[in-house]
Amino acid sequence: PPPEPKDDAAAAMEDEVETDLLVQRLNASIQTALEEVRGWLERNAAADDVKQPMVDAETDAAADEIEAKESEVEPVWIENHTIIDENGRARCGFHFCRKLFKDSVFLRKHLIKKHSEYLRAEMGKCHDEYMMKSWDSQERRPVPPILVDCGKTFQSVESPVIGAAEPLAADPEPDLWKREEDRRKREEEEQAAARRSQFDSFEKNRYEESAASVPR
């Protein structure tokens, strides 16, 4: 028999029960996630006191040194581009600007906002020493190859720069001469094979002609 129709009150009660179940499941999921996060925080609480390396210890130490040097650059750079007149007013030290401000506080904001590219360039000099050390330690350096004079036959030939403490570029001329000798040897062998084939063909034709001229 078909199910009896439910009244509005019963249907509303079932919807409420179903909604409550969804809320309960959602709350349970949130609670589980919070417990996992809390456990992760507790496990890493002790590690927070110890700085974890981002790359490796040596690289992180170099990064800290660079940051320390960069922090020392800004005040010196601002001082070098500040001109204070007899009234205590501050003028921009860039020759193409020369704007005048009430005091050095406003000038500092101006320098950082309007001339920040020069400050970044000055800070970039702090990286040079470390970049050169990294470059020196690489076996294959990201530099263009150099041209090596290999005489009249081969002219100038590119050679990659390799090495670390003692960079060097290999002389490509010996290898070029070896490849040239191999090429000439192959050409001579091919020419000799072509002459032998031509001679064999000539001999074969002459034999066939002489055999055809003999009376039977």
Side-chain angles (χ1 to χ4, degrees):
E4 296 181 359
K6 299 178 182 178
D7 57 11
D8 295 340
M13 185 178 295
E14 289 187 1
D15 291 341
E16 184 177 354
V17 171
E18 185 177 357
T19 303
D20 290 342
L21 289 175
L22 292 175
V23 172
Q24 290 175 7
R25 292 173 183 173
L26 180 59
N27 290 339
S29 300
I30 294 174
Q31 184 64 28
T32 302
L34 289 174
E35 291 176 356
E36 292 178 356
V37 172
R38 191 178 298 109
W40 182 86
L41 292 174
E42 291 175 355
R43 288 192 301 271
N44 291 275
D48 289 342
D49 298 333
V50 181
K51 184 178 179 181
Q52 299 297 319
M54 297 295 293
V55 181
D56 54 62
E58 183 179 358
T59 304
D60 287 359
D64 292 339
E65 292 178 8
I66 292 174
E67 289 180 356
K69 291 182 178 181
E70 286 181 341
S71 64
E72 298 173 356
V73 168
E74 182 177 318
V76 176
W77 178 81
I78 291 177
E79 182 180 357
N80 292 338
H81 293 86
T82 299
I83 302 173
I84 305 296
D85 62 13
E86 62 277 6
N87 297 322
R89 294 178 299 180
R91 185 180 296 276
C92 179
F94 284 96
H95 69 278
F96 53 84
C97 182
R98 295 297 184 179
K99 287 187 177 181
L100 186 64
F101 297 88
K102 180 180 178 181
D103 53 34
S104 58
V105 175
F106 291 98
L107 175 60
R108 180 182 180 278
K109 295 179 180 179
H110 163 78
L111 288 171
I112 294 177
K113 182 177 180 181
K114 297 297 183 180
H115 306 304
S116 59
E117 66 274 18
Y118 298 98
L119 175 57
R120 290 195 298 270
E122 196 67 23
M123 287 182 171
K125 296 178 182 179
C126 300
H127 299 243
D128 293 348
E129 176 185 354
Y130 302 91
M131 292 176 65
M132 287 301 300
K133 288 181 180 178
S134 175
W135 187 82
D136 287 340
S137 64
Q138 295 180 13
E139 287 294 328
R140 293 191 172 274
R141 299 178 173 179
V143 295
I146 64 173
L147 292 176
V148 179
D149 185 5
C150 296
K152 294 182 178 180
T153 303
F154 304 108
Q155 303 298 322
S156 296
V157 180
E158 291 185 348
S159 179
V161 178
I162 59 175
E166 298 180 358
L168 57 88
D171 183 4
E173 188 171 3
D175 185 58
L176 292 173
W177 275 117
K178 183 178 183 302
R179 284 187 287 177
E180 179 66 15
E181 291 175 359
D182 293 342
R183 184 188 66 81
R184 291 178 180 178
K185 184 177 180 180
R186 286 195 304 270
E187 287 184 353
E188 291 175 357
E189 291 175 352
E190 290 173 358
Q191 292 174 0
R195 287 194 296 270
R196 286 195 300 270
S197 176
Q198 186 177 8
F199 178 78
D200 292 342
S201 178
F202 174 77
E203 288 295 320
K204 180 180 179 181
N205 291 336
R206 189 175 67 171
Y207 173 78
E208 291 176 351
E209 289 177 358
S210 61
S213 62
V214 174
R216 295 180 181 178

